Amino acid sequence: MQDIFLYNTLTRTKEKFLPLVPGKVGLYTCGPTVYNFAHIGNLRTFLFEDLLTRTLRFNGYDVQWVMNVTDVGHMTSDGDAGEDKMSVAAQRENLDPWSLARKYEDAFRFDMQRLGIHLPDVLPRATEHIEEMIRLNKTLEERGFTYETPEGLYFDTSKSSDYGKLARLRLDDQLQGARADVNVDSEKRNPQDFILWFGNKPTHIMKWDSPWGVGYPGWHIECSAMSMKYLGDTFDIHCGGNDHIPVHNTNEIAQSEAATGKTFARYWMHAAFLNLKNKENPNTKLKMSKSKGGFIQVQTLVDSGYDPIAYRYLCLQAHYRSELELAWEWLDADGKTGRADSLDTAAASLKRLYERIARAEKDNEESLSENSQFDAARIEVLNALNDDLNVPKAVGLLHTYASPRLWRAFDAVLGLDIENHAVLPAEEEAPAEIWKLVEARLEARKARDFARSDALRDEIAALGWEVADSPQGPTLKRKQ
Ligand code: AMP
Ligand code: ZN
């Protein structure tokens, strides 16, 4: 197996990847909160996770990919303040929260498919793992890591010796954070303490019995309970978007390691954001967010005339740790359709790529026809992918080699669906009167009347067709 290097947020370095069990990888990624459609920023993170999984599989690893579906407990702030996003949306849409969750989970699966993202092996729903969460909270309680207030059960971060190691949080940052958050529970002991279970919530629409009263789980405990259920107390890789570093993933580590006394995830990988660039004010970066309205979904791309794979191709051109800017221009006031120069360019170059591959294959042009050449090029591209997923470099190399065989091999990672797209446009059938002219030209040639045959060729050309002579007889092609 080739060496793989991954940037680990925990150590802030690129490390050689060594799985717990040779040949196997346990991967957990924070999934969608299904209170709305996913926006293409969320999907950029899921696409990065798809590329990671595909790269590991391409290298021969047996990957078990688990992604949660958050259908309860994610508050309108990423901390404990505000309301449950699910109940806010359920009221807005006049749906019960379960139907709302299924509606957006189905939409999420469809969007993943439209972007060529393979679905994870397990997609556990939070509401179906309440028992596991309660059990984990009980363990934390037994081990002395919790306390109760009228709000519910809290994790006491002062009991954790290395709280904040992922984000490298310092105590003064924590105090500042607390000052900014005016909604804090006055009985909370430390600013960074967080809810494990919201108790005393008999009127909440999604609620369960627990030793800490009727209520619902905190968002962070969901990921700890589901990841450890499917992958064990210690597993290989945990991913999420950059925004999850300071709160959500930090809290997952604290509570999981407190409960088991073991390392939780060994490698932490985080994807940089997709930002919208404001056309009128190009220096303003707008964070794309579901909660602030006006966001771009896969359906927005489709309604705007883009093949979603063009967005995938655009994402492949930026490294996952670099932010990606999209200068999106809305074309209508209600935010249904829009356009972006970079997407237009990506769509056009992807179309040319498909055509080049199809034409080269038709003409039997293969730049790497020797197996030894092919193998060397394959290793070079694989090394780029294995260098912390340097997809832009891998794509650059594939363009340089221009080998249909190599493109097809790496489509297992890139997911551009070359199989179904690299087809030449169907040849148009010429009408009968053009064929009559072709026959007349053939007669003229047989009679060695070249002046007449040339004149007929020009006449055919003037009608938009090109005639060519082959050993099987003349052929007709639409003029370019
Ligand atoms: P959510 O559905 O809000 O829980 O987010 C799902 C995933 O999308 C998480 O891993 C987030 O970190 C990630 N995410 C949220 N906004 C963006 C963005 N603008 N660009 C890239 N990833 C994002
Ligand atoms: Zn999570």
Side-chain angles (χ1 to χ4, degrees), residues 4 13 63 121 167 169 180 191 210 213 226 236 241 254 267 270 276 278 347 358 374 396 420 455:
I4 298 180
T13 51
V63 183
D121 303 290
L169 295 177
S210 86
M226 291 190 276
D236 295 301
Y267 298 82
H270 292 95
L276 289 188
N278 190 337
F374 176 81
N420 292 308

Side-chain angles (χ1 to χ4, degrees), residues 455-480:
L456 281 161
R457 173 196 288 275
D458 291 346
E459 197 179 330
I460 293 166
L463 292 167
W465 292 87
E466 214 172 323
V467 65
D469 298 299
S470 80
Q472 289 78 38
T475 59
L476 273 175
K477 214 169 67 183
R478 257 274 179 227
K479 266 181 65 179
Q480 295 294 320

